[in-house]
């Protein structure tokens, strides 16, 4: 049976980052081709709308087109901070997974950025510094990647708005620096797209 992988992200920044993740994974696969028949990616803007909007899009744009001929693999990409610090988390992840499977998904993969996608970005501090054209600080203020990134932007007299596209920012990040640090987080996606689970293609960049 053919395979369809569909990826859902939460905001413009996340969407841009995971598209770069996909491009990087593709470059590491022999022949530079994903081992799937259909690959779709959708940005579900706004955490509060994520669940209902995602289910509707999945049914209309994926299930109705591919269920009869393809195995449907759903990849959910999200931050964990809203679940850790919210009294009433807006998304019930287990229910969302069950609903997706009830609608036809054969597998649901969770790609979780702990605590936020900005923690992934911070692994390439040099890339961020170069993008902002500021002097590298001796220490970083902030308890999370998001707080640290906001501080760095302020040092450049700029504002970082979570979830909003920031022209040129994601392009400035070196994925060969970031990938070894997020290997465990994205490995299920790499494997599903055809990059073997025991892949060593990132390790040579660890001590850059």
């Amino acid at each position: 049976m053919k395979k369809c992988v569909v990826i859902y992200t939460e905001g413009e920044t996340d969407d841009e980052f995971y598209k770069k993740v996909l491009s990087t994974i593709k470059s590491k696969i022999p022949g530079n081709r994903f081992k799937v028949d259909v690959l779709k990616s959708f940005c579900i803007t706004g955490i509060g709308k994520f669940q209902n909007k995602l289910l509707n899009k999945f049914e209309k744009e994926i299930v109705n087109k591919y269920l009869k001929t393809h195995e449907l693999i759903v990849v959910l990409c999200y931050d964990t901070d809203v679940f850790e610090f919210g009294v009433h988390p807006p998304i019930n992840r287990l229910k969302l997974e069950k609903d997706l499977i009830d609608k036809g998904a054969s597998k649901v993969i969770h790609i979780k950025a702990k605590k936020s996608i900005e923690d992934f970005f911070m692994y390439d501090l040099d890339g961020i510094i170069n993008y902002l054209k500021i002097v590298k600080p001796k220490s970083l203020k902030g308890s999370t990647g998001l707080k640290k990134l906001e501080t760095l932007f302020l040092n450049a007299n700029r504002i970082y708005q979570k979830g909003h596209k920031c022209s040129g920012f994601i392009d400035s990040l070196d994925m060969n620096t970031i990938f070894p640090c997020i290997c465990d987080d994205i490995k299920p996606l790499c494997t599903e797209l055809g990059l073997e689970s025991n892949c060593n293609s990132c390790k040579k960049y660890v001590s850059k």
Side-chain angles (χ1 to χ4, degrees):
M1 196 174 192
K2 294 181 178 179
K3 183 163 71 171
C4 170
V5 174
V6 55
I7 301 169
Y8 294 103
T9 58
E10 291 179 343
E12 293 178 346
T13 308
D14 305 60
D15 185 57
E16 192 177 0
F17 177 75
Y18 280 108
K19 282 179 178 176
K20 194 165 183 178
V21 166
L22 291 176
S23 179
T24 305
I25 293 173
K26 188 175 183 179
S27 72
K28 296 176 182 295
I29 298 175
N32 301 133
R33 295 185 64 181
F34 294 125
K35 295 180 181 179
V36 299
D37 301 285
V38 177
L39 176 62
K40 299 284 186 179
S41 178
F42 300 100
C43 177
I44 310 296
T45 306
I47 188 72
K49 301 177 182 178
F50 194 84
Q51 191 152 346
N52 291 334
K53 192 173 179 180
L54 187 153
L55 288 169
N56 289 335
K57 287 181 72 66
F58 178 65
E59 185 170 16
K60 292 178 182 178
E61 301 173 10
I62 302 299
V63 174
N64 292 345
K65 292 182 180 179
Y66 302 108
L67 180 61
K68 292 181 180 179
T69 55
H70 291 70
E71 175 189 14
L72 305 182
I73 311 295
V74 177
V75 182
L76 303 176
C77 304
Y78 54 85
D79 297 351
T80 64
D81 57 357
V82 294
F83 304 111
E84 292 177 4
F85 303 119
V87 177
H88 300 290
I91 296 175
N92 183 327
R93 289 173 287 173
L94 293 179
K95 184 178 186 304
L96 176 57
E97 179 173 333
K98 181 180 182 301
D99 289 343
L100 285 166
I101 290 174
D102 287 344
K103 287 185 179 294
S106 59
K107 184 191 302 184
V108 178
I109 296 170
H110 297 260
I111 305 295
K112 297 177 281 187
K114 307 172 186 178
K115 302 184 181 296
S116 68
I117 194 72
E118 287 77 18
D119 288 278
F120 285 0
F121 302 162
M122 289 302 301
Y123 287 123
D124 183 22
L125 178 58
D126 288 341
I128 297 171
I129 294 301
N130 291 334
Y131 168 76
L132 294 173
K133 296 182 173 63
I134 59 175
V135 176
K136 188 174 183 178
K138 293 181 180 180
S139 61
L140 291 173
K141 294 181 180 179
S143 58
T144 66
L146 174 59
K147 294 296 183 183
K148 291 175 181 177
L149 192 59
E150 288 174 339
T151 298
L152 289 170
F153 267 69
L154 285 174
N155 289 346
N157 294 316
R158 299 180 61 175
I159 300 295
Y160 177 80
Q161 291 183 289
K162 182 174 178 59
H164 293 269
K165 189 173 182 178
C166 186
S167 180
F169 175 57
I170 298 299
D171 284 340
S172 72
L173 298 176
D174 182 357
M175 300 305 280
N176 286 326
T177 298
I178 294 174
F179 257 49
C181 303
I182 65 173
C183 176
D184 290 341
D185 303 285
I186 65 169
K187 185 178 289 186
L189 176 59
C190 292
T191 303
E192 207 62 56
L193 294 177
L195 194 60
E196 297 302 321
S197 59
N198 61 349
C199 172
N200 293 317
S201 64
C202 296
K203 289 186 177 180
K204 60 184 176 181
Y205 298 105
V206 172
S207 58
K208 182 181 176 182

